């Protein structure tokens, strides 16, 4: 049975079961995923898997207005009945303050869009393609000894939301992805690595060659490495590195974090200058480059483009229906439902501001003694989001008039608000990545600690 048919049947079963249990107010958000994936090792398949999985989150309100929540992976009629019954029983122990309700946008019109699905490819072709990519990578340089981390997968996903007031959302999309990560071996030298990732709507258009070439280029560029002196540097963040830093400090824009007092922002921060006038940041789930985009969130609210920083000024927060009600705003399509309604960013779009498009130009081809950070590591441990501080190991290069020298080992540290205000250049050309769209960003005076 296809995902679409499964969703239609689930919706019908949910309405019938709720009526049977005399449950008057409920909503359900869920997803059904079909996925095939492959990993290889030294010219042979390492792991090949196929899965079909489903999950739903059910919320039920009782006559007293409190809500109970249950999640389950059993989406047949019996599983639905158990989930609805459990959520109803749990509702009598629900919170008495800031009780979530249906999103007022759950019944808002969502424009139809072109089909986001693609045909599945035989698993044999996934394995053959990945084996070919591994072989091509190993042939790029004698120092590349292996590709210990790799994977090629394709996924079909159907998402849905419904509630007892008549809201009904349903969508499906597909995407294929590949990642490659190398390891080198040279006598008397430390192992070095490089990696890349590509994603596409369908397997036929997946840029496997581009992934191989980027992985090889990064790996080879790290072979000749040197120590670096500690000090303050002009630092250039790659698109991936800057996106990972903004994501790590996304509590700046998260209304739930702000209400929980786990953010550097407060409700009064809207309209204040928190970054260089050169910077624009938006959350843009529906950006054309976002292959896995969804037209609605866990509450059924339509997703949208939400400007967060414009010309360096904080302009909006990301909201669920709960935070929007408390802060007299509108839901932005960034909610997930569970034991608590949570808020998270969808897809960042970072760009230079139009107002300040003629600032001084910086160029890696002519810059002297500049550090290019390609990949930030240990974000889970090195970021104190509520305090604004970070201290992160990174992969990167020292750039001198276009010549690149790999940095053996170093850490970048600082304060996120100081960093945002120290941006001196935002390049005009943005790169599309799986987690967002972003150009290279230049920051003056960051502290770099080299290996002693």
């Amino acid at each position: 049975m296809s995902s679409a048919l499964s969703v239609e049947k689930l919706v019908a079963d949910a309405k019938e079961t709720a009526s049977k249990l005399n449950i008057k107010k409920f909503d359900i958000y869920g997803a059904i995923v079909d996925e095939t994936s492959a990993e290889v090792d030294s010219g042979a398949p390492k792991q090949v898997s196929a899965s079909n999985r489903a999950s739903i989150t059910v919320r039920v309100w009782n006559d007293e207005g409190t809500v109970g929540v249950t999640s389950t992976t059993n989406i047949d009629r019996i599983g639905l009945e158990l989930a609805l019954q459990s959520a109803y029983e749990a509702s009598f122990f629900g919170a008495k303050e800031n009780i979530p309700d249906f999103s007022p946008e759950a019944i808002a019109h969502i424009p139809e869009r072109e089909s986001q699905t693609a045909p599945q490819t035989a698993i044999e072709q996934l394995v053959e393609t990945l084996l070919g990519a591994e072989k091509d990578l190993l042939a790029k340089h004698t120092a590349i000894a292996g590709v210990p981390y790799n994977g090629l997968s394709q996924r079909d996903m159907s998402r849905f939301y419904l509630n007892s007031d008549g809201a009904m959302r349903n969508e499906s999309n597909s995407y294929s992805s590949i990642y490659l990560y190398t390891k080198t071996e040279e006598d008397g030298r430390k192992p070095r690595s490089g990696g890349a990732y590509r994603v596409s709507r369908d397997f036929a258009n997946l840029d496997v060659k581009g992934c191989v070439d980027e992985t090889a280029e990064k790996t080879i560029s790290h072979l000749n490495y040197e120590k670096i002196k500690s000090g303050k540097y002009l630092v250039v963040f790659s698109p991936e590195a800057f996106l990972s830093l903004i994501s790590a400090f996304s509590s700046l824009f998260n209304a739930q974090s702000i209400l929980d007092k786990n953010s550097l922002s407060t409700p009064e921060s809207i309209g204040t200058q928190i970054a260089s006038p050169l910077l624009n940041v938006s959350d843009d789930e529906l950006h054309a480059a976002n292959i896995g985009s969804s037209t609605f969130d866990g509450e059924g609210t339509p997703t949208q483009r939400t400007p967060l920083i414009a010309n360096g000024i904080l302009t909006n927060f990301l909201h669920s229906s709960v935070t929007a009600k408390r802060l007299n705003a509108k839901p932005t399509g960034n909610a997930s439902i569970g034991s608590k309604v949570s808020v998270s960013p969808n897809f960042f779009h970072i760009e230079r501001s139009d107002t300040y498009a003629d600032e001084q130009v910086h160029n890696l081809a002519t810059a002297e003694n500049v550090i290019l950070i390609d990949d930030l590591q240990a974000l889970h441990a090195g970021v104190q989001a509520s305090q604004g501080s970070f201290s992160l190991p990174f992969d990167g290069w020292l750039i001198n008039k276009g010549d690149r020298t790999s940095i053996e080992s170093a850490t970048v540290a600082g304060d996120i608000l100081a960093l945002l205000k120290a941006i001196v250049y935002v390049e005009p050309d943005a790169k599309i990545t799986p987690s967002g769209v972003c150009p290279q960003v230049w920051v003056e005076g960051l502290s770099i600690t080299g290996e002693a």
Side-chain angles (χ1 to χ4, degrees), residues 27-227:
D27 68 358
I28 298 175
Y29 175 83
I32 300 172
V33 181
D34 285 302
E35 184 173 20
T36 54
S37 62
E39 296 177 40
V40 300
D41 183 25
S42 305
K46 178 183 178 182
Q47 181 173 320
V48 179
S49 63
S51 64
N52 177 276
R53 55 190 186 273
S55 63
I56 58 171
T57 299
V58 178
R59 298 191 298 181
V60 172
W61 286 257
N62 59 36
D63 292 339
E64 298 173 10
T66 54
V67 60
V69 185
T70 299
S71 296
T72 182
T73 56
N74 183 4
I75 63 169
D76 61 17
R77 186 183 290 269
I78 295 174
L80 269 175
E81 183 168 345
L82 286 171
L84 284 162
Q85 184 66 44
S86 296
Y88 177 73
E89 292 170 358
S91 70
F92 293 97
F93 302 94
K96 307 295 184 184
E97 296 180 352
N98 302 315
I99 301 171
D101 203 344
F102 294 157
S103 167
E105 305 293 321
I107 55 174
H109 173 69
I110 294 179
E112 288 190 16
R113 60 176 177 173
E114 295 180 1
S115 172
Q116 305 291 300
T117 59
Q120 290 268 337
T121 299
I123 189 70
E124 293 81 7
Q125 190 170 354
L126 300 186
V127 174
E128 182 181 335
T129 300
L130 194 54
L131 287 170
E134 181 192 47
K135 182 179 178 182
D136 290 346
L137 253 180
L138 294 173
K140 292 285 186 181
H141 198 283
T142 54
I144 299 177
V147 190
Y149 304 105
N150 62 77
L152 201 165
S153 66
Q154 55 186 357
R155 172 182 286 194
D156 289 337
M157 175 181 284
S158 291
R159 301 181 185 90
F160 53 91
Y161 173 85
L162 68 139
N163 68 32
S164 52
D165 275 1
M168 178 60 213
R169 312 285 198 199
N170 186 10
E171 66 181 2
S172 299
N173 60 24
S174 308
Y175 65 88
S176 297
S177 63
I178 182 172
Y179 70 90
L180 302 166
Y181 191 82
T182 59
K183 186 176 182 180
T184 66
E185 289 181 6
E186 289 183 295
D187 289 341
R189 306 288 285 173
K190 292 181 178 180
R192 307 297 278 172
S193 299
Y197 181 90
R198 292 292 189 277
V199 63
S200 175
R201 174 72 58 219
D202 56 20
F203 175 78
N205 291 302
L206 187 62
D207 185 13
V208 177
K209 182 180 183 302
C211 193
V212 170
D213 291 345
E214 182 182 343
T215 302
E217 180 186 357
K218 285 184 177 180
T219 305
I220 294 167
S221 73
H222 284 305
L223 291 175
N224 296 317
Y225 56 84
E226 294 182 8
K227 288 180 169 56

Side-chain angles (χ1 to χ4, degrees), residues 247-315:
S247 296
F249 287 98
S250 62
S251 59
L252 281 167
F253 321 114
N254 188 315
Q256 189 61 61
S257 298
I258 292 162
L259 288 167
D260 291 341
K261 302 189 185 308
N262 287 324
S263 171
L264 295 172
S265 300
T266 68
E268 293 72 39
S269 297
I270 295 292
T272 62
Q273 191 90 29
I274 69 163
S276 161
L278 308 175
L279 186 69
N280 283 356
V281 178
S282 298
D283 182 66
D284 192 3
E285 171 71 358
L286 299 178
H287 193 287
N290 187 9
I291 299 297
S293 67
S294 175
T295 58
F296 57 90
D297 70 2
E299 296 183 301
T301 299
T303 52
Q304 58 183 290
R305 177 184 173 91
T306 304
L308 300 170
I309 297 176
N311 302 333
I313 295 172
L314 184 64
T315 55

Side-chain angles (χ1 to χ4, degrees), residues 232-243:
K232 290 192 179 292
Y233 288 82
L234 176 59
V235 172
V236 183
F237 287 91
S238 72
E240 293 86 351
F242 196 73
L243 281 165

